[in-house]
């Protein structure tokens, strides 16, 4: 489960998720202002090894991490020498284990993603030669987590679920109302809003520059993913002489206005959804479970939900039964599962369950997970690794919406959406994700409609541009545009693939980036194609009836799959849920240590399990020890090793069982 929230997982309006995460991306100011010299940049530190320097700077162990944290005192406003206010921005450093080449700095996605809470996970997927040769650096951008974290999770969830169909005048008014309500509620939830006027990316990159000066590195290597490409381009434009090499992954074209970017993004989400549904049609197992054309299943469900919500009964893990509704806005929110190949497959399994078994519950579970909601209680999970408040705090400062008043800006935004509502058959709501910027305090001056007036050139250093063709959040066209204007650029394209492509295990991509960093080796060609996939190979649904299993190996394989691809389990770090009601009765409970408890849990009717199990992360093994009731009774042990070999032993139906595959 790599980079789950990255970049993975930024919530878009009515359609956001992870990871990781997600995250919508946007432009910055045209002409970059000149920062005033801060106290940090005036500090002289003798040249010595990284560990000694960190100690001298007051370094301390980052919480639950191998990294060392350093607090850097930075000005609220780098561009006003008369403003003496300061606060701390926290950087995390993992010193090189071998001969140090320099610093490799990562700017994560969002805006709103926490670098500190991503650092250990991301680094674990780097080729070992990278942490051997580089000090690995992550940071919490101003306003995030350890750097004066600002959050409004409850206001965000209320906003994302509020809905509104902009195809009608009533729907447009509702969008305006809920957007203004969200801004008011978010600011209230934030509390101290003194930092809000200074969250823009042009301020944030100066925090990194202060850190560079303290570390005494003349140049360093900078990697930006998703919104991080916006940050990286902004830093490189302001401080080109301090960049040794640049990697842009999931790229934002900073010459686009917010409106232009969002139109392209909404079109990309529609295209990736369509491509994902067509991938199901081409996958024998997915097509079998879906039962008919996947595009038709989705479109017919959407049309039904536009008319009225679907009422359904949802059984909590406690056994209580709720009467709930699944709305059109909920369906749009499943777009949070379009960011990666595995998430797309999980979404397809939920849609197939609706088509095959006429149950909306798996899709509801996808929505609850995408919106960080506990499925039992609707409790909002406060995920410190991502901040909706900072998403809007940065975006609404980086982009100027056209208009002289909030009302005029909102009206112009809605008018621009008319084209999207008529031209896009799916996920048009993605376009309206930044509508709250019309009402956000401290808006950007309208003389800066886009971050850059001129294309980014990247003069003085080589730049790798990475992007997938099925990236919904940062469309491939953005990468092509940025690459075409670089003075020394290389384009690496993954055909298919996720949002952000480095360090997901595709050798074609990872080796190029590693060689670029460690060996200063450029790709053999200016443009490289790497073959990826749209969605992981489909994992069949468990049969509704246990009588349809060929044998116990097939039955336990289905249980194994249902556990692994349950949204609450697969993405357990984005929810407080640690138990679910099983589809055909009973409960399944789990914890972060991958220990399982089954209480009459049936993923298929006639195969109820009571007992326990575990996944061993050290050796990759999976084990269940359960008593089974239903079609037959028994006591069985199931194991799967790290090579996928499975074994079932015990007693069942009065006989002895010993099966392997």
């Amino acid at each position: 489960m790599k980079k789950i929230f990255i970049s993975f997982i930024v919530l878009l309006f009515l359609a956001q998720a992870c990871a990781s995460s997600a995250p919508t991306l946007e432009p910055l100011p045209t002409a970059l202002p000149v920062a005033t010299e801060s106290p940090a940049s005036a500090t002289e530190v003798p040249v010595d090894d990284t560990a000694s320097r960190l100690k001298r700077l007051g370094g301390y162990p980052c919480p639950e991490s191998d990294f060392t944290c350093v607090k850097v005192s930075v000005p609220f406003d780098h561009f006003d020498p008369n403003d003496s206010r300061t606060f701390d921005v926290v950087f995390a450093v993992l010193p090189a284990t071998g001969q140090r080449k320099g610093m490799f700095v990562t700017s994560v996605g969002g805006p709103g993603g926490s670098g500190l809470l991503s650092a250990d996970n991301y680094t674990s997927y780097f080729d070992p030669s990278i942490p051997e040769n580089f000090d690995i650096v992550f940071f919490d951008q101003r306003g995030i987590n350890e750097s004066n974290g600002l959050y409004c999770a409850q206001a965000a969830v209320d906003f994302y679920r509020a809905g509104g169909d902009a195809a009608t005048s009533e729907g447009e008014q509702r969008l305006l109302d809920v957007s203004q309500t969200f801004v008011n509620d978010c600011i209230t939830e934030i509390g101290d809003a003194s930092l809000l006027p200074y969250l823009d990316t042009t301020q944030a990159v100066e925090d990194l520059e202060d850190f560079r000066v303290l570390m005494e590195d003349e140049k360093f290597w900078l990697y930006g993913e998703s919104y991080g490409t916006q940050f990286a381009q902004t830093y490189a434009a302001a401080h080109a002489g301090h960049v040794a090499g640049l990697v842009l992954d999931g790229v934002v074209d900073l010459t686009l206005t917010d409106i232009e970017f969002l139109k392209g993004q909404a079109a990309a989400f529609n295209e990736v959804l369509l491509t994902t549904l067509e991938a199901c049609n081409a996958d024998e197992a997915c097509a079998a479970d879906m039962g008919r054309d996947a595009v038709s299943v989705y479109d017919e469900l959407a049309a039904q939900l536009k008319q009225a919500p679907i009422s359904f009964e949802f059984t909590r893990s406690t056994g209580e039964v709720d009467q709930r509704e699944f709305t059109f806005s909920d369906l749009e929110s499943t777009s949070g599962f379009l960011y990666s190949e595995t998430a797309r497959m999980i979404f397809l399994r939920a849609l197939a369950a609706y088509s095959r078994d006429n149950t909306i519950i798996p899709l509801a579970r996808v929505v609850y997970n995408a919106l960080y909601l506990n499925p039992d209680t609707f409790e909002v999970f406060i995920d410190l690794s991502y901040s909706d408040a900072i998403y809007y705090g940065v975006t609404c400062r980086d982009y100027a919406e056209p208009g002289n008043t909030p009302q005029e800006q909102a009206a112009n935004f809605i008018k621009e959406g008319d084209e999207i509502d008529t031209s896009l058959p799916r996920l048009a709501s993605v376009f309206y994700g930044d509508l709250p910027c019309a009402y956000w305090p401290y808006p950007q001056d309208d003389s800066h409609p886009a971050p850059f007036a001129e294309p980014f050139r990247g003069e003085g250093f080589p730049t790798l541009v990475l992007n997938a063709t099925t990236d919904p959040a940062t469309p491939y066209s953005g990468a092509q545009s940025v690459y075409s204007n670089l003075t020394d650029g290389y384009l690496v394209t993954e055909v298919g693939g996720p949002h952000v492509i480095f360090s997901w295990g595709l050798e074609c991509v990872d080796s190029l980036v590693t060689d670029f960093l460690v060996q200063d080796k450029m790709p053999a060609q200016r443009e490289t194609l790497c073959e990826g996939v749209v969605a992981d190979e489909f994992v069949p649904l468990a049969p509704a009836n246990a009588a349809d299993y060929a044998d116990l190996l097939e039955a336990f394989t289905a249980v194994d799959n249902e556990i692994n691809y349950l949204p609450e389990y697969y993405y357990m770090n984005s929810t407080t849920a640690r138990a679910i009601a099983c589809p055909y009765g009973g409960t399944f409970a789990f914890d972060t240590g991958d220990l399982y408890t089954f209480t009459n849990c049936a993923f298929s009717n006639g195969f109820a399990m009571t007992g326990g199990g575990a996944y061993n992360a050290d050796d990759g093994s999976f084990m269940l020890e359960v008593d089974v009731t239903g079609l037959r009774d028994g006591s069985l042990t199931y194991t799967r090793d790290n090579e996928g070999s499975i074994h079932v032993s015990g007693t069942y139906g009065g006989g002895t069982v010993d099966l392997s595959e």
Side-chain angles (χ1 to χ4, degrees), residues 277 280-281 285-302 304-305 310 326 331 346-364 538 541-542 544 584:
L277 295 169
C280 176
N281 291 336
C286 189
D289 275 345
M290 196 69 68
R292 58 194 184 92
D293 175 49
V295 179
S296 296
V297 172
Y298 182 93
D299 287 347
E300 289 171 17
L301 174 58
Q304 179 182 349
L305 291 169
I310 293 176
F326 190 87
L331 181 64
I346 293 173
F347 160 73
L348 288 173
R349 294 183 92 244
L351 186 65
Y354 165 76
S355 180
R356 191 192 74 176
D357 300 331
N358 195 33
T359 175
I360 206 74
I361 292 175
L363 279 171
F538 188 81
L541 301 173
Y584 294 93

Side-chain angles (χ1 to χ4, degrees), residues 146-166:
E146 295 292 324
S147 300
N148 197 41
L150 306 175
Y151 297 90
C152 63
Q154 185 62 60
V157 168
D158 293 344
F159 173 52
Y160 298 141
R161 298 205 75 198
D165 182 2

Side-chain angles (χ1 to χ4, degrees), residues 74-421:
V74 301
F76 272 55
D77 189 348
H78 283 277
F79 309 106
D80 182 0
N82 296 318
D83 188 342
S84 61
R85 294 173 299 167
T86 63
F87 69 101
D88 291 336
V89 171
V90 180
F91 290 79
V93 184
L94 186 68
T97 59
Q99 183 64 42
R100 181 185 189 272
K101 181 178 180 180
M103 292 193 301
F104 176 49
V105 179
T106 292
S107 176
V108 300
S114 167
L116 266 63
L117 292 177
S118 305
D120 292 87
N121 183 42
Y122 277 36
T123 304
S124 70
Y125 290 93
F126 291 165
D127 183 274
S129 63
I130 296 177
E132 178 183 349
N133 287 273
F134 289 94
D135 293 343
I136 306 300
V137 179
F138 286 79
F139 58 95
D140 278 347
Q141 192 166 319
R142 51 173 56 202
I144 298 170
N145 191 35
E146 295 292 324
S147 300
N148 197 41
L150 306 175
Y151 297 90
C152 63
Q154 185 62 60
V157 168
D158 293 344
F159 173 52
Y160 298 141
R161 298 205 75 198
D165 182 2
T168 67
S169 58
E170 294 82 3
E172 288 181 341
Q173 186 57 52
R174 177 166 174 75
L175 281 174
L176 294 171
D177 292 342
V178 299
S179 295
Q180 190 165 14
T181 297
F182 162 69
V183 171
N184 294 336
D185 291 348
C186 184
I187 299 303
T188 299
E189 197 172 334
I190 286 173
D192 182 0
S194 58
L195 192 58
L196 288 185
Y198 312 103
L199 291 174
D200 44 284
T201 306
T202 53
Q203 294 279 0
V205 299
E206 298 305 323
D207 300 339
L208 176 58
E209 174 60 7
D210 283 358
F211 172 77
R212 181 201 66 78
V213 171
L214 287 172
M215 294 300 290
E216 293 189 314
D217 277 30
E218 183 62 24
K219 293 187 177 184
F220 65 92
W221 285 256
L222 179 57
Y223 167 83
E225 59 168 15
S226 194
Y227 159 77
T229 69
Q230 183 168 316
F231 183 101
Q233 290 175 79
T234 305
Y235 178 88
H239 302 285
H242 298 307
V243 177
L246 190 64
V247 183
L248 304 175
D249 189 357
V251 185
V252 185
D253 179 357
L254 298 184
T255 64
L256 297 179
T257 66
D258 193 23
I259 294 292
E260 290 169 337
F261 176 82
L262 290 169
K263 286 183 176 181
Q265 187 183 61
F269 265 95
N270 172 71
E271 184 61 31
V272 172
L273 172 58
L274 180 62
T275 303
T276 299
L277 295 169
E278 290 174 340
C280 176
N281 291 336
D283 184 304
E284 184 178 351
C286 189
D289 275 345
M290 196 69 68
R292 58 194 184 92
D293 175 49
V295 179
S296 296
V297 172
Y298 182 93
D299 287 347
E300 289 171 17
L301 174 58
Q304 179 182 349
L305 291 169
K306 280 189 174 183
Q307 296 302 312
I310 293 176
S311 297
F312 67 103
E313 289 187 345
F314 184 91
T315 304
R316 302 188 197 184
S317 62
T318 58
E320 299 169 90
V321 178
D322 293 338
Q323 193 67 33
R324 296 185 179 180
E325 288 187 339
F326 190 87
T327 66
F328 177 70
S329 294
D330 288 333
L331 181 64
E332 298 267 283
S333 293
T334 62
S335 64
F337 272 59
L338 293 178
Y339 281 73
S340 70
E341 303 94 327
T342 302
R344 292 167 193 158
M345 190 272 286
I346 293 173
F347 160 73
L348 288 173
R349 294 183 92 244
L351 186 65
Y354 165 76
S355 180
R356 191 192 74 176
D357 300 331
N358 195 33
T359 175
I360 206 74
I361 292 175
L363 279 171
R365 291 192 181 282
V366 165
V367 172
Y368 301 153
N369 189 264
L371 296 180
Y372 290 61
L373 290 172
N374 183 298
D376 277 0
T377 64
F378 284 165
E379 172 192 3
V380 178
F381 176 66
I382 307 299
D383 177 19
L384 297 179
S385 71
Y386 177 73
S387 168
D388 303 276
I390 297 304
Y391 171 79
Y392 287 101
V394 173
T395 298
C396 303
R397 285 289 300 156
D398 281 359
Y399 292 86
E401 305 299 344
N404 296 318
T405 66
Q407 291 71 28
E408 186 178 336
Q409 290 178 350
N412 289 338
F413 203 115
I414 289 290
K415 184 177 180 180
E416 291 286 351
D418 290 344
E419 172 194 342
I420 299 298
D421 295 328

Side-chain angles (χ1 to χ4, degrees), residues 515-532:
D515 289 347
F516 175 80
L517 294 171
V518 176
Q519 302 179 28
D520 297 318
K521 179 181 177 182
M522 302 301 117
Q525 297 87 31
R526 287 287 175 177
E527 299 183 21
T528 304
L529 286 180
C530 297
E531 289 297 326

Side-chain angles (χ1 to χ4, degrees), residues 441-638:
Y442 314 108
Q444 179 57 264
D445 186 294
D446 62 8
S447 64
H448 297 164
F452 289 171
E454 300 295 332
F456 177 71
R457 304 279 180 202
E459 296 177 349
F461 49 83
T463 300
L464 281 186
V465 175
L466 317 177
N467 227 96
T469 59
T470 51
D471 182 338
T474 48
Y476 181 56
S477 58
Q480 292 175 303
S481 176
V482 170
Y483 162 70
S484 70
N485 289 292
L486 293 171
T487 57
D488 186 11
Y490 297 83
L491 177 63
V492 180
T493 301
E494 181 174 347
V495 180
H499 169 52
V500 177
I501 65 175
F502 172 53
S503 202
W504 283 81
L506 188 63
E507 175 65 19
C508 176
V509 174
D510 293 352
S511 61
L512 289 175
V513 177
T514 300
D515 289 347
F516 175 80
L517 294 171
V518 176
Q519 302 179 28
D520 297 318
K521 179 181 177 182
M522 302 301 117
Q525 297 87 31
R526 287 287 175 177
E527 299 183 21
T528 304
L529 286 180
C530 297
E531 289 297 326
V533 297
V534 174
D536 285 355
E537 183 178 349
F538 188 81
V539 176
L541 301 173
N545 296 305
D548 293 332
Y549 288 122
D551 55 31
L552 286 171
L553 288 173
E554 186 176 293
F556 275 106
T557 297
V559 170
D560 193 341
N561 290 333
E562 291 300 318
I563 292 171
N564 194 41
Y565 296 110
L566 179 72
E568 293 91 335
Y569 178 75
Y570 195 86
Y571 295 118
M572 71 171 69
N573 289 334
S574 64
T575 179
T576 56
R578 292 295 178 264
I580 66 152
C582 301
Y584 294 93
T587 59
F588 165 59
F590 54 93
D591 63 21
T592 54
D594 290 305
L595 298 176
Y596 314 133
T597 302
F598 303 90
T599 306
N600 294 318
C601 171
F603 290 103
S604 297
N605 194 26
F607 195 80
M609 300 170 293
T610 297
Y615 169 71
N616 188 323
D618 292 332
D619 63 14
S621 64
F622 180 91
M623 181 272 296
L624 301 177
E625 290 184 338
V626 293
D627 293 330
V628 177
T629 59
L631 296 179
R632 298 179 185 177
D633 297 345
S635 295
L636 299 165
T637 298
Y638 166 79

